[in-house]
């Protein structure tokens, strides 16, 4: 279950475009590694070499066309590597400045933005969302075999941020609200207001607070930021977060002059048994192909930019002299808020719970075995994206790991990028730590 959410989150994105055409990925060039001259005492040089070699092996094995990873320990980059290609047409290699569709790794960024407004005193986490989205005054709850009934009460901001508000997503085929969101193309609406008008007419899965369900909630977080701040979501992020942190490569569209840096995205072809580049407009991330500015999955970013964002979180909300959040607010973001009966993905997949994992106000948490068995200290937090990007932050061991790939694995043999990378990181740490 540790990798389940990336596969699930990709479903809606590739449903119409996974019959990918085009030439298979070109042979990968040798791995390109940028490592310190001498590994710090806490990591073994042999362990870091094994980590980087295994990450490059994913390309050699055909599990991904290209990969970039980064490991930061106690504020120092101890491992950075790239292997493979970013573009099928000419075999252009992955480089340190390649741009990636980070999809659901947008969610922690959206959460930070709303928590900035919380620190400003502009919103309370226990406010009903109808204070800001009055269109939701008539929300209903799905009842199997009967007409929807009125919701017991409006969801709170806290419940929206923690995916316990009762909303569906449109990614999963098992529920009527999911099917209705998908049929209404909720996530393809041109702007926030159109999105809200669609969502307002679709029943919730349950009353607020009853269950955790991976949902459109982070897109609603973007709506809340927009309505509370009076700015567009993108303008708020640029002014309050990206510009102060120096995240110059992060946004909802790739500037024309930077488009050469954007990686292709690949999907699995059942016919050929390998990954093929996807050429559908919704994956282009150009201004003229964008729908709304999605808080749940709309951003493109670079390794360097996401490193700056994660460094800020690990440091308790500050990067150098720039403070984004107070440490106690970062703790709100990264501390599990779920009850023992509110388990991740238990209702979104086959009923199997992701034990040892929880959820804060925008990130997954790793609180105990088996989630921590690969070495993560309790209190670690993480998330990932539909095209395979992933990260985790381990405050106890003062480390950050980020992996960037671009492929939808629906139908492909499962490959545990996150788990394998974690095992090798902590093996290298334990060797000399």
């Amino acid at each position: 279950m540790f990798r389940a959410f990336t596969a699930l989150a990709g479903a809606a994105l590739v449903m119409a475009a996974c019959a990918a055409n085009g030439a298979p990925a070109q042979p990968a060039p040798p791995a390109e590694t940028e490592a310190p001259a001498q590994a710090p005492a806490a990591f073994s040089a042999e362990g870091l070499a094994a980590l980087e070699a295994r990450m490059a092996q994913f390309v050699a094995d055909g599990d991904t066309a290209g990969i970039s990873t980064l490991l930061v320990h106690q504020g120092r980059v101890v491992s950075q590597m790239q292997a493979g290609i970013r573009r099928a047409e000419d075999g252009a290699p992955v480089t340190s400045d390649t741009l990636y569709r980070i999809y659901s790794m947008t969610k922690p960024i959206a959460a930070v933005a709303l928590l900035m407004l919380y620190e400003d005193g502009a919103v309370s986490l226990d406010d009903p969302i109808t204070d800001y989205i009055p269109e939701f005054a008539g929300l209903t709850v799905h009842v199997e075999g009967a007409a929807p009934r009125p919701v017991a009460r409006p969801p709170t901001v806290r419940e929206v941020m923690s995916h316990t508000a009762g909303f569906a997503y449109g990614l999963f085929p098992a529920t009527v609200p999911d099917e209705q969101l998908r049929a209404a193309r909720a996530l393809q609406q041109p702007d926030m207001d159109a999105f809200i008008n669609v969502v307002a007419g679709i029943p919730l899965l349950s009353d607020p607070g009853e269950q955790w369900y991976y949902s459109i909630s982070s897109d609603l977080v973007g709506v809340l930021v927009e309505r509370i701040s009076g700015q567009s979501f993108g303008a708020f992020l640029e002014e309050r977060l990206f510009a102060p942190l120096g995240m110059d490569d992060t946004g909802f569209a790739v500037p024309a002059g930077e488009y050469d840096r954007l990686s292709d995205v690949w999907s699995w072809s059942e016919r050929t048994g390998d990954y093929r580049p996807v050429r559908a407009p919704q994956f282009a991330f150009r201004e003229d192909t964008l729908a709304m500015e999605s808080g749940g999955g709309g951003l493109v970013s670079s390794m360097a930019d996401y490193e700056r964002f994660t460094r800020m979180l690990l440091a308790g909300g500050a990067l150098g002299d720039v403070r984004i959040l107070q440490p106690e607010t970062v703790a709100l973001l990264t501390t599990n808020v779920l009850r023992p009966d509110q388990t991740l993905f238990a209702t979104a997949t086959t009923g199997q719970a992701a034990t040892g994992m929880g959820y804060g106000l925008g990130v997954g948490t790793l609180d105990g075995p088996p989630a921590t068995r690969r070495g993560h200290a309790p209190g670690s937090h993480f998330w990932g994206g539909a095209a395979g990007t992933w990260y985790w932050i381990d405050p106890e061991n003062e480390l950050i790991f980020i992996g960037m790939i671009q492929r939808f694995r629906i139908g492909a043999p499962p490959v545990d990028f996150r788990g394998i990378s974690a095992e090798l990181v902590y093996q290298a740490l334990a060797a000399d730590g």
Side-chain angles (χ1 to χ4, degrees):
M1 291 305 296
F2 198 58
R3 63 176 178 266
F5 71 93
T6 51
L8 291 166
L13 295 168
V14 296
M15 202 161 288
C18 267
N21 298 313
Q26 302 297 314
E32 171 186 334
T33 303
E34 301 173 18
Q38 183 175 1
F43 278 91
S44 73
E46 294 81 5
L48 293 176
L51 167 69
E52 292 170 0
R54 183 63 184 89
M55 298 299 99
Q57 188 65 36
F58 285 129
V59 176
D61 290 346
D63 297 322
T64 182
I67 189 169
S68 179
T69 68
L70 179 76
L71 174 62
V72 179
H73 181 242
Q74 295 179 344
R76 180 182 179 189
V77 175
V78 298
S79 171
Q80 184 174 5
M81 62 80 63
Q82 299 91 39
I85 62 171
R86 71 177 186 271
R87 190 165 53 243
E89 183 178 10
D90 59 0
V94 174
T95 54
S96 59
D97 67 344
T98 296
L99 298 176
Y100 301 90
R101 303 158 190 82
I102 62 171
Y103 288 118
S104 286
M105 277 166 57
T106 302
K107 288 177 168 70
I109 291 174
V112 165
L114 187 52
L115 287 172
M116 294 174 78
L117 290 168
Y118 160 76
E119 285 194 351
D120 291 346
V123 58
S124 167
L125 298 181
D126 295 317
D127 287 342
I129 60 170
T130 47
D131 286 358
Y132 312 101
I133 308 177
E135 296 95 322
F136 284 176
L139 286 175
T140 61
V141 177
H142 173 69
V143 179
E144 194 66 35
R149 61 168 173 80
V151 71
R153 59 170 175 79
T156 66
V157 172
R158 190 188 307 270
E159 288 166 336
V160 168
M161 297 186 77
S162 61
H163 292 281
T164 59
F167 292 99
Y169 209 159
L171 301 184
F172 314 118
T175 78
V176 170
D178 276 309
E179 292 170 356
Q180 290 179 349
L181 283 170
R182 185 164 56 252
R185 298 177 60 81
L187 295 172
Q188 286 77 51
Q189 295 304 305
D191 55 45
M192 302 288 202
D193 290 342
F195 168 69
I196 290 300
N197 288 336
V198 168
V199 174
I202 293 175
L204 303 184
L205 286 163
S206 63
D207 280 312
E210 286 192 358
Q211 64 174 324
W212 188 92
Y213 195 93
Y214 198 42
S215 69
I216 57 168
S217 283
S218 291
D219 292 288
L220 296 177
V221 168
V223 174
L224 290 170
V225 170
E226 190 162 288
R227 294 197 173 184
I228 294 166
S229 70
Q231 298 177 271
S232 73
F233 185 39
F236 182 91
L237 290 176
E238 178 60 31
E239 179 183 322
R240 295 287 302 273
L241 190 61
F242 299 156
L245 290 181
M247 295 173 64
D248 299 331
D249 290 329
T250 305
F252 290 104
V254 178
E258 303 296 330
Y259 210 77
D260 178 70
R261 296 165 53 199
L262 179 65
S263 174
D264 282 348
V265 63
W266 284 261
S267 69
W268 182 256
S269 168
E270 293 281 2
R271 182 178 61 82
T272 60
D274 61 4
Y275 285 97
R276 299 296 179 104
V278 181
R279 303 300 186 197
Q282 63 265 39
F283 304 119
F285 282 75
R286 296 180 186 271
E287 287 282 359
D288 59 352
T289 66
L290 288 180
M292 67 176 190
E293 295 177 332
S294 166
L299 288 173
V300 171
S301 191
S302 64
M303 178 66 81
D305 273 19
Y306 217 82
E307 178 193 357
R308 295 180 75 81
F309 177 71
T310 54
R311 280 182 183 263
M312 178 273 293
L313 291 179
L314 179 58
L319 184 66
D321 294 333
V322 176
R323 177 156 295 282
I324 300 298
L325 293 175
Q326 296 299 318
E328 56 269 26
T329 308
V330 175
L332 282 175
L333 173 74
T334 60
T335 300
N336 180 32
V337 298
L338 304 186
R339 301 188 309 262
D341 63 308
Q342 292 176 318
T343 48
L344 269 67
F345 301 107
T347 54
T349 55
T350 61
Q352 181 183 4
T355 54
M357 295 165 58
Y359 200 82
L361 298 184
V363 299
T365 64
L366 302 172
D367 301 312
T372 56
R373 199 165 286 156
R374 285 190 164 109
H376 305 88
S380 298
H381 46 94
F382 75 99
W383 209 241
T389 58
W390 78 101
Y391 86 92
W392 78 84
I393 297 174
D394 180 340
E396 182 175 314
N397 288 301
E398 299 180 77
L399 67 81
I400 296 164
F401 188 90
I402 306 170
M404 297 286 194
I405 60 175
Q406 294 284 268
R407 96 286 178 272
F408 300 120
R409 77 161 189 86
I410 297 172
V415 180
D416 193 359
F417 290 88
R418 181 195 305 279
I420 292 169
S421 60
E423 286 179 351
L424 291 167
V425 165
Y426 289 106
Q427 286 171 14
L429 180 63
D432 263 21

